[in-house]
Amino acid sequence: MTTTRVILNFPWTSNEKLKGDFFQDTGVTDAVMKIARKELREDKAIREQSLEQLRDWLQKNGDVEGVRTDDLFLLRFLRTKKFSVPMAQQMILKYLNFRKVFTHLIHTLDFMSPSVLKLLNGGYIFPSPIRDKHGRRVIVGFANHFNPAEHNSSDMARLHFITYETLMEDPENQICGLVHIGDFKGISTAHVACWNPTDFLRIMKWGEQSIPMRNKEVHLVNVPSTVKYIIEGAKSMVSKKMKERLQVHVTVPDLCRKVDPACLPKELGGTMPMAEMIELWKMELAAKRNLVLSSANMRILSDRGIVSRNGTDRNNNSNSSLGMETITGSFRKLEVD
């Protein structure tokens, strides 16, 4: 596989020449805008009309306050929902509610927080600076780089959320989407035990409908047989679309046949050392730090505007006993040496 692009130039966009109103209105190249037209039905007229409708709705909505109204923030929801304004409105409410419900886990979204920075420097999760042939950023995670004796579920959740929030400040990532790679080598019961099963269940059920990202592929490798109980339980919490985008690989060579190795760190079959990728990523984090921190000022005052899919709760997901039993049972079955 070829045609990958290294993101080494500030602000980490393509080196292709930016053309006409695409730069002025979207900050992306003509090639990326073609993807937006084809996959998201986006053009200048739809974009401007949708943004106007969202801003008007936010201004009149007494259930929220302090919500960012800049183009880039609102477009992450419109693009995820292919410019359906009602669906984007619902996702904004769910996103704000997600942040409220999980405040105990994702408070202080600052990558410079000592525990978060230590986890980042250790290589737990970071995006590759090299886009794949479809222009997508590839997020890499190593389970064995999370030390349960030093970190807790909040450190893990915060670093994930900081990663996603920062990436979504890039219009190219909003349009092209993301690829997720998870290496489960070395996972232990302690990794799972750091999570409250209720929090784990809710995050799995609510995350897909609450966090505005175009998740194009998920690849897992070196998965112990006992961890598959957790994966199967988690799959029951997500949409059919996401289930179809999840692939489990036995070995790293198997993974490299599905994902361009150029996008992967050297430690996972690529060429660029993980440490170099992390240093480049920290530059991006620093550039977006204040913007990510400013989002803490957004509030949802009431969840009455959230329309549930099945009428059982306010965040579009049922907190059913069956779902809880599936996840809790999966936790109990996990026995890793």
PDB file of all heavy atoms in Angstrom, residues 13 53 55 109 118 156 208 214 239 244 259 281 289 291 313 315 330:
ATOM      1  N   THR A  13      -1.751  19.687   7.941  1.00  0.00           N
ATOM      2  CA  THR A  13      -2.702  19.457   6.859  1.00  0.00           C
ATOM      3  C   THR A  13      -1.937  18.980   5.640  1.00  0.00           C
ATOM      4  O   THR A  13      -0.722  18.894   5.633  1.00  0.00           O
ATOM      5  CB  THR A  13      -3.464  20.751   6.490  1.00  0.00           C
ATOM      6  OG1 THR A  13      -2.524  21.777   6.177  1.00  0.00           O
ATOM      7  CG2 THR A  13      -4.327  21.216   7.648  1.00  0.00           C
ATOM      8  N   GLN A  53     -28.827  27.269  10.829  1.00  0.00           N
ATOM      9  CA  GLN A  53     -29.920  26.622  11.561  1.00  0.00           C
ATOM     10  C   GLN A  53     -29.453  26.146  12.940  1.00  0.00           C
ATOM     11  O   GLN A  53     -30.180  26.293  13.931  1.00  0.00           O
ATOM     12  CB  GLN A  53     -30.461  25.446  10.749  1.00  0.00           C
ATOM     13  CG  GLN A  53     -31.211  25.853   9.498  1.00  0.00           C
ATOM     14  CD  GLN A  53     -31.658  24.657   8.674  1.00  0.00           C
ATOM     15  OE1 GLN A  53     -31.615  23.511   9.129  1.00  0.00           O
ATOM     16  NE2 GLN A  53     -32.082  24.916   7.442  1.00  0.00           N
ATOM     17  N   ARG A  55     -26.934  27.360  14.772  1.00  0.00           N
ATOM     18  CA  ARG A  55     -26.693  28.518  15.639  1.00  0.00           C
ATOM     19  C   ARG A  55     -28.007  29.113  16.150  1.00  0.00           C
ATOM     20  O   ARG A  55     -28.112  29.495  17.318  1.00  0.00           O
ATOM     21  CB  ARG A  55     -25.886  29.578  14.881  1.00  0.00           C
ATOM     22  CG  ARG A  55     -24.443  29.184  14.640  1.00  0.00           C
ATOM     23  CD  ARG A  55     -23.594  30.382  14.231  1.00  0.00           C
ATOM     24  NE  ARG A  55     -22.240  29.951  13.945  1.00  0.00           N
ATOM     25  CZ  ARG A  55     -21.760  29.713  12.721  1.00  0.00           C
ATOM     26  NH1 ARG A  55     -22.543  29.879  11.664  1.00  0.00           N
ATOM     27  NH2 ARG A  55     -20.522  29.311  12.552  1.00  0.00           N
ATOM     28  N   LEU A 109      -9.573  18.058  31.009  1.00  0.00           N
ATOM     29  CA  LEU A 109      -9.052  17.500  29.752  1.00  0.00           C
ATOM     30  C   LEU A 109      -7.788  18.244  29.321  1.00  0.00           C
ATOM     31  O   LEU A 109      -7.744  18.907  28.290  1.00  0.00           O
ATOM     32  CB  LEU A 109     -10.131  17.561  28.668  1.00  0.00           C
ATOM     33  CG  LEU A 109     -11.369  16.712  28.925  1.00  0.00           C
ATOM     34  CD1 LEU A 109     -12.383  16.887  27.812  1.00  0.00           C
ATOM     35  CD2 LEU A 109     -11.001  15.239  29.098  1.00  0.00           C
ATOM     36  N   LYS A 118       2.015  11.309  31.732  1.00  0.00           N
ATOM     37  CA  LYS A 118       2.817  10.102  31.941  1.00  0.00           C
ATOM     38  C   LYS A 118       2.271   8.942  31.113  1.00  0.00           C
ATOM     39  O   LYS A 118       3.042   8.176  30.511  1.00  0.00           O
ATOM     40  CB  LYS A 118       2.827   9.732  33.422  1.00  0.00           C
ATOM     41  CG  LYS A 118       3.724   8.541  33.762  1.00  0.00           C
ATOM     42  CD  LYS A 118       3.791   8.314  35.265  1.00  0.00           C
ATOM     43  CE  LYS A 118       4.749   7.160  35.590  1.00  0.00           C
ATOM     44  NZ  LYS A 118       4.854   6.945  37.056  1.00  0.00           N
ATOM     45  N   MET A 156      -7.242   6.843  31.883  1.00  0.00           N
ATOM     46  CA  MET A 156      -7.476   6.213  30.590  1.00  0.00           C
ATOM     47  C   MET A 156      -8.539   6.970  29.802  1.00  0.00           C
ATOM     48  O   MET A 156      -8.337   7.301  28.624  1.00  0.00           O
ATOM     49  CB  MET A 156      -7.922   4.752  30.788  1.00  0.00           C
ATOM     50  CG  MET A 156      -8.102   3.988  29.492  1.00  0.00           C
ATOM     51  SD  MET A 156      -8.815   2.322  29.729  1.00  0.00           S
ATOM     52  CE  MET A 156      -7.512   1.492  30.636  1.00  0.00           C
ATOM     53  N   GLU A 208     -20.930   5.881  20.845  1.00  0.00           N
ATOM     54  CA  GLU A 208     -21.111   5.972  19.389  1.00  0.00           C
ATOM     55  C   GLU A 208     -22.088   7.063  19.000  1.00  0.00           C
ATOM     56  O   GLU A 208     -21.905   7.733  17.979  1.00  0.00           O
ATOM     57  CB  GLU A 208     -21.578   4.615  18.843  1.00  0.00           C
ATOM     58  CG  GLU A 208     -21.663   4.566  17.342  1.00  0.00           C
ATOM     59  CD  GLU A 208     -22.172   3.238  16.806  1.00  0.00           C
ATOM     60  OE1 GLU A 208     -22.334   2.284  17.609  1.00  0.00           O
ATOM     61  OE2 GLU A 208     -22.405   3.140  15.586  1.00  0.00           O
ATOM     62  N   ARG A 214     -16.190  10.124  12.779  1.00  0.00           N
ATOM     63  CA  ARG A 214     -16.483   9.147  11.735  1.00  0.00           C
ATOM     64  C   ARG A 214     -15.497   7.990  11.902  1.00  0.00           C
ATOM     65  O   ARG A 214     -14.371   8.021  11.412  1.00  0.00           O
ATOM     66  CB  ARG A 214     -16.356   9.773  10.340  1.00  0.00           C
ATOM     67  CG  ARG A 214     -17.258  10.977  10.122  1.00  0.00           C
ATOM     68  CD  ARG A 214     -17.313  11.345   8.640  1.00  0.00           C
ATOM     69  NE  ARG A 214     -18.030  10.328   7.885  1.00  0.00           N
ATOM     70  CZ  ARG A 214     -17.748   9.968   6.639  1.00  0.00           C
ATOM     71  NH1 ARG A 214     -16.728  10.536   6.006  1.00  0.00           N
ATOM     72  NH2 ARG A 214     -18.450   9.046   6.027  1.00  0.00           N
ATOM     73  N   SER A 239     -23.702  -0.316  17.173  1.00  0.00           N
ATOM     74  CA  SER A 239     -24.565  -0.510  16.010  1.00  0.00           C
ATOM     75  C   SER A 239     -24.044  -1.620  15.101  1.00  0.00           C
ATOM     76  O   SER A 239     -22.876  -2.019  15.176  1.00  0.00           O
ATOM     77  CB  SER A 239     -24.659   0.790  15.213  1.00  0.00           C
ATOM     78  OG  SER A 239     -23.393   1.103  14.644  1.00  0.00           O
ATOM     79  N   GLU A 244     -19.638  -4.358  11.919  1.00  0.00           N
ATOM     80  CA  GLU A 244     -19.084  -4.757  10.625  1.00  0.00           C
ATOM     81  C   GLU A 244     -17.718  -4.125  10.371  1.00  0.00           C
ATOM     82  O   GLU A 244     -16.930  -4.642   9.566  1.00  0.00           O
ATOM     83  CB  GLU A 244     -20.058  -4.365   9.511  1.00  0.00           C
ATOM     84  CG  GLU A 244     -21.368  -5.145   9.559  1.00  0.00           C
ATOM     85  CD  GLU A 244     -22.403  -4.629   8.579  1.00  0.00           C
ATOM     86  OE1 GLU A 244     -22.203  -3.507   8.028  1.00  0.00           O
ATOM     87  OE2 GLU A 244     -23.417  -5.321   8.348  1.00  0.00           O
ATOM     88  N   VAL A 259      -3.943  -2.991   7.138  1.00  0.00           N
ATOM     89  CA  VAL A 259      -3.615  -1.595   7.412  1.00  0.00           C
ATOM     90  C   VAL A 259      -2.234  -1.301   6.855  1.00  0.00           C
ATOM     91  O   VAL A 259      -1.310  -2.101   7.023  1.00  0.00           O
ATOM     92  CB  VAL A 259      -3.636  -1.303   8.926  1.00  0.00           C
ATOM     93  CG1 VAL A 259      -3.283   0.148   9.201  1.00  0.00           C
ATOM     94  CG2 VAL A 259      -4.994  -1.646   9.518  1.00  0.00           C
ATOM     95  N   TRP A 281       2.866  14.205  18.052  1.00  0.00           N
ATOM     96  CA  TRP A 281       1.494  14.335  18.537  1.00  0.00           C
ATOM     97  C   TRP A 281       1.414  15.371  19.658  1.00  0.00           C
ATOM     98  O   TRP A 281       0.458  16.152  19.730  1.00  0.00           O
ATOM     99  CB  TRP A 281       0.985  12.981  19.011  1.00  0.00           C
ATOM    100  CG  TRP A 281      -0.360  12.983  19.679  1.00  0.00           C
ATOM    101  CD1 TRP A 281      -0.689  12.430  20.875  1.00  0.00           C
ATOM    102  CD2 TRP A 281      -1.600  13.536  19.177  1.00  0.00           C
ATOM    103  NE1 TRP A 281      -2.025  12.607  21.156  1.00  0.00           N
ATOM    104  CE2 TRP A 281      -2.600  13.282  20.122  1.00  0.00           C
ATOM    105  CE3 TRP A 281      -1.929  14.218  17.999  1.00  0.00           C
ATOM    106  CZ2 TRP A 281      -3.915  13.690  19.944  1.00  0.00           C
ATOM    107  CZ3 TRP A 281      -3.249  14.636  17.818  1.00  0.00           C
ATOM    108  CH2 TRP A 281      -4.228  14.382  18.788  1.00  0.00           C
ATOM    109  N   ARG A 289      -4.438  22.851  22.782  1.00  0.00           N
ATOM    110  CA  ARG A 289      -4.710  22.683  24.216  1.00  0.00           C
ATOM    111  C   ARG A 289      -5.764  23.659  24.736  1.00  0.00           C
ATOM    112  O   ARG A 289      -6.732  23.258  25.388  1.00  0.00           O
ATOM    113  CB  ARG A 289      -3.408  22.849  24.999  1.00  0.00           C
ATOM    114  CG  ARG A 289      -3.561  22.658  26.502  1.00  0.00           C
ATOM    115  CD  ARG A 289      -2.272  22.994  27.233  1.00  0.00           C
ATOM    116  NE  ARG A 289      -2.378  22.825  28.662  1.00  0.00           N
ATOM    117  CZ  ARG A 289      -1.653  23.484  29.544  1.00  0.00           C
ATOM    118  NH1 ARG A 289      -0.760  24.388  29.123  1.00  0.00           N
ATOM    119  NH2 ARG A 289      -1.811  23.278  30.831  1.00  0.00           N
ATOM    120  N   LEU A 291      -8.009  25.366  23.214  1.00  0.00           N
ATOM    121  CA  LEU A 291      -9.318  25.152  22.596  1.00  0.00           C
ATOM    122  C   LEU A 291     -10.036  23.981  23.261  1.00  0.00           C
ATOM    123  O   LEU A 291     -11.236  24.051  23.558  1.00  0.00           O
ATOM    124  CB  LEU A 291      -9.145  24.896  21.100  1.00  0.00           C
ATOM    125  CG  LEU A 291     -10.355  25.102  20.190  1.00  0.00           C
ATOM    126  CD1 LEU A 291     -10.982  26.469  20.397  1.00  0.00           C
ATOM    127  CD2 LEU A 291      -9.947  24.909  18.743  1.00  0.00           C
ATOM    128  N   ASP A 313     -34.576   5.679  27.852  1.00  0.00           N
ATOM    129  CA  ASP A 313     -33.770   6.628  28.606  1.00  0.00           C
ATOM    130  C   ASP A 313     -33.503   7.865  27.778  1.00  0.00           C
ATOM    131  O   ASP A 313     -33.931   7.966  26.636  1.00  0.00           O
ATOM    132  CB  ASP A 313     -32.465   5.971  29.120  1.00  0.00           C
ATOM    133  CG  ASP A 313     -31.419   5.770  28.035  1.00  0.00           C
ATOM    134  OD1 ASP A 313     -31.629   6.200  26.888  1.00  0.00           O
ATOM    135  OD2 ASP A 313     -30.375   5.190  28.332  1.00  0.00           O
ATOM    136  N   ASN A 315     -30.554   9.181  26.807  1.00  0.00           N
ATOM    137  CA  ASN A 315     -29.351   9.289  25.975  1.00  0.00           C
ATOM    138  C   ASN A 315     -29.362   8.291  24.824  1.00  0.00           C
ATOM    139  O   ASN A 315     -28.344   7.777  24.402  1.00  0.00           O
ATOM    140  CB  ASN A 315     -28.086   9.108  26.803  1.00  0.00           C
ATOM    141  CG  ASN A 315     -26.946   9.972  26.296  1.00  0.00           C
ATOM    142  OD1 ASN A 315     -27.118  11.159  26.115  1.00  0.00           O
ATOM    143  ND2 ASN A 315     -25.807   9.370  26.061  1.00  0.00           N
ATOM    144  N   SER A 330     -19.147 -10.843  31.154  1.00  0.00           N
ATOM    145  CA  SER A 330     -17.899 -10.839  30.398  1.00  0.00           C
ATOM    146  C   SER A 330     -16.722 -10.489  31.301  1.00  0.00           C
ATOM    147  O   SER A 330     -15.646 -11.058  31.182  1.00  0.00           O
ATOM    148  CB  SER A 330     -17.993  -9.826  29.243  1.00  0.00           C
ATOM    149  OG  SER A 330     -19.007 -10.192  28.341  1.00  0.00           O
TER     150      SER A 330
END
